[in-house]
Amino acid sequence: MRTARELAPVITFLKNKGDMTSLAQADVLERRLTEKQVFETYVINVAEEHKDESLYYACRDTSRYLFEAFDITDIIPDYIETPIANNSDVVLSRDEFESLMSTLEQMNNRISQLERWTGKLRKPTRREPKPLPIGADMTDMMKQTQACEYLKVSKNTIKKYADRGTITAWQKGKYVYYSRMEIDAKITNKP
């Protein structure tokens, strides 16, 4: 069975969501109900016209999480626990977490830019090309040599753009690709 310390942020997250299913799931965790108790509470002791099958299954799965048969993302797909300043009670939703990470990345880029301007440049980190998504529009993609010719720059320069995050490098097999639309929007300022 999961500990009270593990359950506290999950219960808080569920209560903050506030919908009926989340509140019922929080109740299951607070009362530490077994699957049998969940069945009795949400099926046997409920009038036929008030039975909610999806609520029962959500609570049953929450009980399974309680007894370590399921992982937290099996019962709450949008759950991300993010301890901030050693405070494990702080819980962010997936959207809040992604927004925070985006802000941190923007701040890091700004710091790098300021360091370049002041001459206190940190050694740039090498970003590996991302795998090319399945079904990507290959008519928009240019191989690295084509992108260099398009921009009239060297391979080192285009790699620096990718390392800084100015443009995204995509890899498929042994080839590295760049998006013509992204280059136009972020480097050449073409519409």
Side-chain angles (χ1 to χ4, degrees):
M1 182 182 285
R2 299 196 186 270
T3 65
R5 186 171 187 200
E6 288 178 281
L7 296 177
V10 177
I11 292 168
T12 302
F13 182 83
L14 288 168
K15 286 182 176 180
N16 287 340
K17 282 182 76 173
D19 61 279
M20 186 175 82
T21 302
S22 297
L23 294 174
Q25 289 175 304
D27 182 58
V28 168
L29 294 176
E30 284 182 326
R31 294 173 42 201
R32 297 178 179 261
L33 299 179
T34 64
E35 280 188 65
K36 182 179 177 184
Q37 291 169 320
V38 168
F39 184 76
E40 290 171 355
T41 304
Y42 294 97
V43 177
I44 293 176
N45 298 334
V46 176
E48 195 63 38
E49 63 273 5
H50 296 295
K51 288 184 181 177
D52 183 346
E53 192 174 289
S54 62
L55 180 64
Y56 161 68
Y57 286 118
C59 291
R60 182 203 63 187
D61 292 347
T62 303
S63 178
R64 289 180 177 175
Y65 163 74
L66 177 65
F67 291 93
E68 301 185 25
F70 280 3
D71 188 44
I72 188 63
T73 55
D74 294 330
I75 63 166
I76 314 170
D78 61 340
Y79 179 83
I80 294 180
E81 180 181 350
T82 310
I84 298 176
N86 297 326
N87 183 355
S88 63
D89 293 337
V90 176
V91 179
L92 301 175
S93 70
R94 184 173 305 279
D95 291 338
E96 292 169 328
F97 179 75
E98 288 173 358
S99 173
L100 179 63
M101 293 308 293
S102 174
T103 302
L104 290 174
E105 185 175 344
Q106 290 170 1
M107 290 171 59
N108 192 32
N109 289 340
R110 182 70 176 150
I111 289 169
S112 294
Q113 189 177 29
L114 290 169
E115 287 174 339
R116 282 192 300 278
W117 288 346
T118 60
K120 298 184 188 253
L121 181 63
R122 291 181 292 173
K123 186 175 181 179
T125 56
R126 174 67 64 185
R127 290 189 188 192
E128 293 297 320
K130 296 179 180 180
L132 190 65
I134 296 172
D137 181 14
M138 293 307 290
T139 59
D140 178 49
M141 294 295 177
M142 297 184 284
K143 289 183 181 175
Q144 189 172 51
T145 53
Q146 294 168 322
C148 290
E149 290 170 9
Y150 183 71
L151 289 171
K152 297 177 179 66
V153 297
S154 69
K155 283 186 180 182
N156 285 338
T157 301
I158 203 162
K159 286 179 184 178
K160 285 179 186 176
Y161 289 153
D163 289 342
R164 291 181 192 147
T166 306
I167 57 174
T168 306
W170 302 96
Q171 185 158 8
K172 182 177 181 183
K174 64 180 183 177
Y175 295 106
V176 176
Y177 294 88
Y178 298 92
S179 165
R180 182 184 311 271
M181 288 180 7
E182 184 181 27
I183 288 173
D184 288 343
K186 294 184 177 178
I187 297 177
T188 63
N189 296 322
K190 292 181 184 176

